[in-house]
Amino acid sequence: MQKIACQDFVKQQGWVITKEFYEKGVSGFKVSANDRDAIQDLKEAALNKEFDVLLVYMFDRLGRRDDETPFVVEWFAKNGIEVWSTQEGQQQFENHTDKLLNYIRYWQANGESVKTSMRLKTRMAQLTADGIYHGGATPLGYRAVNLGRVNKKGQQVKDLQIDPKEAEYVKMIFDKTLNEGYGSYRMAEYLNKLGVRTHGGSEFQCNTINRILKNRIYCGYYVAGETTSPKLEHLVIIDENVFDSVQHILKQRSKKNEEKQHIARTTKGKTLLSGNIY
């Protein structure tokens, strides 16, 4: 929708598009402009005089951080680039009032992001407290299926259901961590050699394993922030005693606890104290 609006606006102005930049899944509120590749590419292209006008659907597409985005926009203007929005026209910097209005715009956008975040967190907490699945990435061991539940608009929404085959992989991950001394790197390598893949079709990484081992969904609990659902027996894959024992192992293995570590990283080495001495 935004892309079409920009293309129509360009035709109205009699401009020519020289390049298009877009971001997927990047929050202009949470992520700094310094960490956004598209913004950095834009700045480099501006310095190389590759375009004269920077057009966005709305100015808040450039960011929603009141302590940063106004100065990003001003940077383009200072480097000879006109900054336009299909909905709000051109951003001017001819006097002090223009600068003030520029700041107010992003201060307001920042506030909207904060309020949206608060509303979303509150709703997530309510759904979690009621034991209702609220979407997101489906964890290994489960599948998202339609079980007849509908939302307020009458649309079908999905719920989690145990996937028997994947549940066995989850049990194996916990078992080998608890009883065979497998670390996250070794566990990921083991699964990859078996040909097991994540729901996204990727190979397992150590971080993927750690997220699985720390996810209380396997004990039957949805968690959102500080809110935990009642226990949902139909989602239980891992016994709580096993889960708690694994958390103790992970805590002992963490870098923060290296000085008091006594849980072996591996129990299958050629040396007597493999995994415990350095």
Side-chain angles (χ1 to χ4, degrees):
M1 178 272 292
Q2 296 179 37
K3 187 173 181 178
I4 292 171
C6 286
Q7 291 172 344
D8 290 343
F9 192 87
V10 166
K11 291 177 182 177
Q12 294 170 11
Q13 299 296 320
W15 298 339
V16 175
I17 296 176
T18 60
K19 196 168 186 179
E20 293 182 357
F21 296 84
Y22 65 95
E23 293 175 305
K24 286 186 177 181
V26 177
S27 169
F29 172 59
K30 295 180 181 179
V31 183
S32 170
N34 292 330
D35 298 322
R36 293 169 62 191
D37 292 340
I39 296 295
Q40 299 310 310
D41 290 345
L42 268 171
K43 285 188 171 184
E44 183 177 351
L47 291 174
N48 292 333
K49 307 299 181 184
E50 295 178 18
F51 61 94
D52 306 303
V53 175
L54 172 58
L55 175 67
V56 292
Y57 175 68
M58 292 183 68
F59 287 124
D60 64 11
R61 300 301 84 200
L62 290 169
R64 288 187 162 214
R65 300 175 66 136
D66 57 14
D67 60 345
E68 176 185 75
T69 315
F71 308 107
V72 172
V73 177
E74 192 172 356
W75 182 93
F76 284 103
K78 286 181 177 178
N79 282 276
I81 304 297
E82 294 182 14
V83 185
W84 285 73
S85 155
T86 63
Q87 306 298 305
E88 300 146 306
Q90 184 179 6
Q91 175 65 66
Q92 301 282 356
F93 290 96
E94 295 180 355
N95 52 54
H96 185 68
T97 303
D98 290 337
K99 292 184 179 181
L100 178 60
L101 291 174
N102 179 45
Y103 178 81
I104 290 175
R105 172 181 286 118
Y106 293 101
W107 169 78
Q108 185 179 30
N110 182 283
E112 287 298 322
S113 291
V114 170
K115 287 188 285 186
T116 298
S117 177
M118 289 174 61
R119 286 193 293 266
L120 184 60
K121 287 178 181 177
T122 300
R123 181 57 180 158
M124 290 288 197
Q126 289 173 342
L127 291 171
T128 300
D130 293 336
I132 297 174
Y133 177 57
H134 47 69
T138 305
L140 183 74
Y142 301 95
R143 53 191 173 214
V145 295
N146 288 317
L147 297 177
R149 185 164 62 91
V150 296
N151 60 20
K152 292 180 179 179
K153 296 180 179 179
Q155 300 169 328
Q156 278 201 337
V157 289
K158 294 185 177 182
D159 289 288
L160 286 187
Q161 187 180 75
I162 291 178
D163 182 311
K165 182 178 180 180
E166 289 188 358
E168 291 304 312
Y169 292 133
V170 173
K171 291 176 183 178
M172 181 177 65
I173 292 170
F174 276 85
D175 178 65
K176 287 188 175 295
T177 301
L178 179 61
N179 299 313
E180 298 184 38
Y182 271 57
S184 56
Y185 288 97
R186 187 180 175 194
M187 191 69 244
E189 186 179 43
Y190 183 81
L191 288 170
N192 292 333
K193 286 182 178 179
L194 288 178
V196 184
R197 295 293 180 264
T198 68
H199 286 166
S202 304
E203 290 192 340
F204 283 84
Q205 306 293 330
C206 63
N207 290 336
T208 319
I209 300 299
N210 285 329
R211 281 196 296 271
I212 290 172
L213 293 172
K214 294 177 181 179
N215 195 341
R216 291 195 70 199
I217 185 64
Y218 297 115
C219 296
Y221 298 100
Y222 288 130
V223 179
E226 298 180 358
T227 305
T228 303
S229 73
K231 187 167 185 175
L232 306 169
E233 294 292 344
H234 66 284
L235 295 179
V236 176
I237 295 177
I238 301 298
D239 180 80
E240 287 192 57
N241 291 326
V242 171
F243 185 85
D244 291 340
S245 297
V246 168
Q247 302 318 298
H248 176 67
I249 290 174
L250 295 178
K251 184 177 180 181
Q252 289 297 320
R253 287 177 177 173
S254 70
K255 290 184 178 180
K256 293 180 181 178
N257 288 289
E258 280 189 349
E259 69 278 2
K260 53 185 179 182
Q261 178 181 318
H262 63 267
I263 301 294
R265 291 180 186 272
T266 177
T267 57
K268 291 186 177 180
K270 294 182 179 180
T271 55
L272 179 62
L273 298 177
S274 177
N276 271 336
I277 74 171
Y278 301 82

